[in-house]
Amino acid sequence: MSYVPSKVLSNEQVYGNYYILVVRTLRKLRKTPLPPQFSMVWVPGVDLIPLSYAYYENGLAKFFYKVVGEGTKSLSLRKPGDVIAISEPIGQSFIEIEKPVFLVGGSGIAPVLYYTKYLESFSGIWGVKHGELAEALITRFPKLKVLAVASEDCTFGFCGKLTDYLDKLNLNSNELVLVSGPTEMVKRVCSWLKGRSVKSGLVIAETLVKCGLGACGSCVIGGVLLCRDGPVIGCEAF
Ligand SMILES: Cc1cc2nc3c(=O)[nH]c(=O)nc-3n(C[C@H](O)[C@H](O)[C@H](O)COP(=O)(O)OP(=O)(O)OC[C@H]3O[C@@H](n4cnc5c(N)ncnc54)[C@H](O)[C@@H]3O)c2cc1C
Ligand code: FES
């Protein structure tokens, strides 16, 4: 896989363990990434981390990420001027859609941020533990305002979990639902969707990605290779 050296422009702590990394690629990517594609972000000497594009335009890329382990921790310590590298975009784009309904948990919002650049109209719910995260991210990506927020600490939007509010959604049979977030939440939403007549229930999935080339098989999920055919796959896989 080919990697493009990229200079860190900023790496801002948005709230708690959540950061936005902004990089400028030092040469052009061969292909412009489109939602919900991702890249392997190489932190020299530490790790390769799959991250979804939150934004891309003319060599300026943004990634929204949560620090969960050693790789993301060391990424969070990169400073403006440091050089990292990002791979060419991985996976299939999925943008020929109209008015999707997003049901998103936590850092699963990352690919939705990039969708806001391409979609005229969308709706849905974003579930967060802490309302402050939603507040901080909406300030930076104002189109997110369209989503209802459910915060577990009851400080922003609805009080409670996203799954507490599913039955309040008025879905019809033309609706395309895109689910993204922690596996447990995805499973619950997909199982709820089974009883609904929607056009389709799809997941922007995450799993273990190693080669990113469709060669090692580590990313198989629901019978498909996430890095080659995903990251959008059917709810049936969950
Ligand atoms: C296609 C794809 C796109 C992704 N896009 C994003 C993105 O845009 N933003 C983002 O924040 N993350 C994203 N992720 C998840 C991200 O790649 C992982 O969080 C990261 O690789 C963890 O690396 P680490 O070395 O910090 O932690 P590790 O040491 O690998 O893991 C530390 C611990 O955290 C757990 N863990 C791993 N991933 C997650 C997670 N996502 N949430 C909670 N716990 C986790 C592990 O099971 C382990 O217990 C994406 C993953 C994939 C496959
Ligand atoms: S990560 Fe190796 S096949 Fe997908």
Side-chain angles (χ1 to χ4, degrees):
M1 175 171 337
S2 108
Y3 281 82
V4 178
S6 305
K7 188 179 266 191
V8 174
L9 299 184
S10 64
N11 197 7
E12 180 199 9
Q13 185 180 22
V14 176
Y15 172 77
N17 288 338
Y18 294 89
Y19 288 76
I20 293 177
L21 170 73
V22 183
V23 299
R24 163 80 58 200
T25 59
L26 296 180
R27 67 172 167 75
K28 244 181 130 185
L29 289 176
R30 281 203 286 268
K31 277 194 176 164
T32 298
L34 290 170
Q37 288 181 303
F38 62 100
S39 273
M40 299 303 279
V41 174
W42 180 50
V43 188
V46 185
D47 212 352
L48 280 168
I49 307 167
L51 291 180
S52 312
Y53 281 88
Y55 180 85
Y56 181 85
E57 178 109 41
N58 293 329
L60 186 87
K62 295 185 186 177
F63 300 95
F64 172 69
Y65 65 98
K66 180 181 181 185
V67 172
V68 294
E70 197 198 331
T72 43
K73 175 75 198 163
S74 82
L75 182 61
S76 74
L77 299 175
R78 300 297 120 165
K79 298 267 180 290
D82 287 352
V83 174
I84 59 170
I86 61 174
S87 72
E88 290 290 334
I90 301 174
Q92 304 295 322
S93 64
F94 187 71
I95 52 166
E96 301 303 319
I97 50 178
E98 274 183 32
K99 300 183 182 175
V101 177
F102 289 108
L103 297 177
V104 182
S107 58
I109 198 73
V112 180
L113 299 176
Y114 199 22
Y115 267 116
T116 64
K117 181 171 183 240
Y118 287 91
L119 294 176
E120 297 261 305
S121 174
F122 60 92
S123 62
I125 312 178
W126 177 27
V128 291
K129 280 203 164 64
H130 305 285
E132 271 184 74
L133 171 64
E135 224 173 325
L137 207 57
I138 290 169
T139 313
R140 290 159 178 86
F141 292 84
K143 277 174 92 179
L144 277 187
K145 269 192 203 125
V146 173
L147 297 180
V149 172
S151 61
E152 288 180 40
D153 66 359
C154 303
T155 58
F156 194 89
F158 299 126
C159 175
K161 294 187 175 188
L162 170 145
T163 43
D164 300 335
Y165 291 92
L166 292 176
D167 286 330
K168 295 207 181 335
L169 281 170
N170 261 332
L171 296 179
N172 65 49
S173 55
N174 290 324
E175 228 96 59
L176 168 73
V177 181
L178 274 172
V179 189
S180 165
T183 309
E184 266 323 298
M185 170 253 157
V186 169
K187 280 185 183 162
R188 289 190 64 184
V189 174
C190 282
S191 127
W192 177 83
L193 277 172
K194 262 186 211 146
R196 306 282 166 312
S197 65
V198 292
K199 187 174 160 194
S200 49
L202 300 170
V203 178
I204 305 171
E206 289 184 13
T207 186
L208 186 64
V209 173
K210 283 192 177 162
C211 72
L213 294 167
C216 73
S218 68
C219 65
V220 171
I221 180 164
V224 300
L225 290 173
L226 177 134
C227 73
R228 191 189 62 190
D229 308 317
V232 174
I233 62 168
C235 246
E236 313 77 62
F238 290 82

